[in-house]
Amino acid sequence: MRPDEFPPRIIVGITGASGVIYGVRALELLAQLGVETHLVVTRAARATLAQETSWTAADVRERASVTHSEHDLGAAIASGSFPADGMLVAPCSIKTLSAIANSFDDNLLVRAADVTLKERRPLVLMLRETPLHPGHIRLMAQAAEAGAVLMPPVPAFYTQPSSIDEMVTHTVARALDALSLPHPHATRWSGERSAPSATDRRSVRA
């Protein structure tokens, strides 16, 4: 961890898996918390960004404090001597999961994740794939054994979301919890709701 007088510093990786909105929203929420972000966007992620959103790569870079090229293996975040408080990969493709699980540091995103693990810092992987075959599950177990937190972006419904945007924000906020950076606007479960009325029970049975 960095000295208290410095703001938190988080590395954010965005891969080509579907769901680039998770990475973009993470940058937005981290900025609201005053966190310094170091961003790596892969080439595949840029292609997915164009397919899934109306944003450009420049729009995403503007949301980060610092942006690094995925090919720059000499970047600061490639070294364990560079102080950071953790890393989030959102979304995380199976290809990236495989590279991280096997320490195949062929680009800066994977190298930064490998450094995060070796320095015993939190690494959260928002794995975006379904259904899963045994090879995927073995890779997940391998990454978890190395210290990563596997956190597929599974939506919560106890918050009674009224939009996809709310579901994305809540899911990303939970990922930030895993980095010890709780977001003040995240909806929290505070106990069971009141029991349904007889009318409600009849409606459910119907």
Side-chain angles (χ1 to χ4, degrees):
M1 301 297 287
R2 304 204 310 140
D4 292 338
E5 63 266 25
F6 292 101
R9 176 186 285 163
I10 296 294
I11 302 167
V12 177
I14 302 180
T15 76
S18 180
V20 291
I21 179 60
Y22 293 111
V24 176
R25 185 58 45 80
L27 291 171
E28 294 171 344
L29 296 188
L30 288 167
Q32 292 172 11
L33 294 173
V35 175
E36 178 185 319
T37 51
H38 286 250
L39 174 66
V40 182
V41 181
T42 67
R43 181 178 64 178
R46 292 192 291 274
T48 304
L49 183 73
Q51 293 172 347
E52 296 186 345
T53 77
S54 59
W55 297 319
T56 65
D59 294 330
V60 178
R61 289 194 296 267
E62 288 176 356
R63 289 167 165 79
S65 306
V66 182
T67 301
H68 303 275
S69 167
E70 65 176 310
H71 305 296
D72 186 9
L73 290 174
I77 61 174
S79 172
S81 65
F82 181 76
D85 298 292
M87 180 173 179
L88 171 67
V89 183
C92 180
S93 65
I94 287 293
K95 177 182 178 180
T96 299
L97 169 67
S98 179
I100 292 172
N102 290 285
S103 299
F104 187 65
D105 300 353
D106 66 333
N107 65 35
L108 181 60
L109 192 158
V110 178
R111 171 59 187 170
D114 201 23
V115 166
T116 300
L117 291 175
K118 80 181 184 69
E119 297 296 328
R120 303 298 190 267
R121 299 165 183 164
L123 171 65
V124 180
L125 307 178
M126 296 185 73
L127 184 66
R128 186 65 176 77
E129 187 63 85
T130 191
L132 300 168
H133 63 59
H136 297 152
I137 295 170
R138 283 192 289 269
L139 288 170
M140 293 169 66
Q142 193 172 332
E145 288 167 358
V149 175
L150 275 296
M151 189 173 179
V154 179
F157 293 97
Y158 67 82
T159 60
Q160 298 185 355
S162 59
S163 67
I164 293 176
D165 185 75
E166 288 184 7
M167 295 171 70
V168 168
T169 297
H170 181 266
T171 301
V172 172
R174 292 288 291 116
L176 299 189
D177 283 348
L179 292 167
S180 299
L181 291 167
H183 195 277
H185 298 305
T187 303
R188 305 292 180 181
W189 176 250
S190 58
E192 293 187 12
R193 300 183 186 278
S194 57
S197 66
T199 301
D200 292 335
R201 287 194 292 271
R202 285 194 296 272
S203 298
V204 170
R205 286 197 297 270

